[in-house]
Amino acid sequence: QRNYPCDNFIYVYFGQSGQDLNATGELNFKKQLYQCMIGQALEIKQNIETRMSQNTFGIIVWQYNEIWPTGGWGSIEYGNPNFPGQVIGGRWKPLQYWYRNSIFADVMATCGKDGQCYVRNDSPRAFEGKLTFRSTSFADANVSVLLERSL
């Protein structure tokens, strides 16, 4: 069944050109599901990074798991052993990988619309390394390096 609330995320992050969200079939379903999950991850990532850039503490992830395979807001889906074909024990959605790899990493960087960037270090050690700021076009997967700086 189509996930209408996700339409806006698909349009914002992937554009409206070439999108037929009413199309049917396995390929169209998988494309919409993938775009919905990536859109969800980008939306949550943006929200958390905005709060962290303002030095907000105590961010709670409250939509952690789903009890069925879905494109919903949970970051992990759990199956039921009484229903064949469902994943038992939890399968990570893209958002869960982003929690681990960037959103809740000890050192993270984010930039706002005004171009101001923040590096946050929650590690007990000082950070030394290189910041590379990249922009990715979802339309053609082109990656541009906008800034590189040693920290």
Side-chain angles (χ1 to χ4, degrees), residues 17 70 94 114 130:
S17 178
T70 179
D114 61 359
K130 182 168 84 171

Side-chain angles (χ1 to χ4, degrees), residues 9-139:
F9 293 112
I10 292 173
Y11 289 149
V12 165
Y13 294 111
F14 296 94
Q16 292 186 8
S17 178
Q19 298 286 357
D20 181 5
L21 300 180
N22 290 315
T24 58
E26 182 180 352
L27 182 62
N28 291 311
F29 172 75
K30 287 180 177 181
K31 176 184 174 186
Q32 183 181 358
L33 183 62
Y34 174 78
Q35 289 178 328
C36 184
M37 287 192 294
I38 296 298
Q40 169 215 14
L42 288 166
E43 186 69 22
I44 298 290
K45 183 178 186 336
Q46 173 194 9
N47 186 294
I48 291 173
E49 287 179 350
T50 297
R51 293 173 193 280
M52 286 181 159
S53 73
Q54 298 164 350
N55 226 13
T56 301
F57 294 96
I59 297 168
I60 295 173
V61 175
W62 65 276
Q63 292 172 310
Y64 180 68
N65 66 321
E66 304 274 7
I67 57 171
W68 52 82
T70 179
W73 285 96
S75 63
I76 293 180
E77 59 186 37
Y78 286 92
N80 182 326
N82 297 322
F83 295 95
Q86 291 192 3
V87 176
I88 309 304
R91 176 170 48 190
W92 286 21
K93 294 181 182 180
L95 176 59
Q96 188 67 27
Y97 288 99
W98 288 14
Y99 282 151
R100 181 188 66 191
N101 295 336
S102 67
I103 300 173
F104 287 116
D106 286 341
V107 179
M108 60 85 73
T110 186
C111 298
K113 288 182 183 178
D114 61 359
Q116 190 167 8
C117 298
Y118 303 90
V119 176
R120 182 175 175 129
N121 181 6
D122 288 331
S123 170
R125 294 173 296 285
F127 174 76
E128 289 185 29
K130 182 168 84 171
L131 171 69
T132 303
F133 181 51
R134 296 181 183 98
S135 174
T136 303
S137 167
F138 289 103

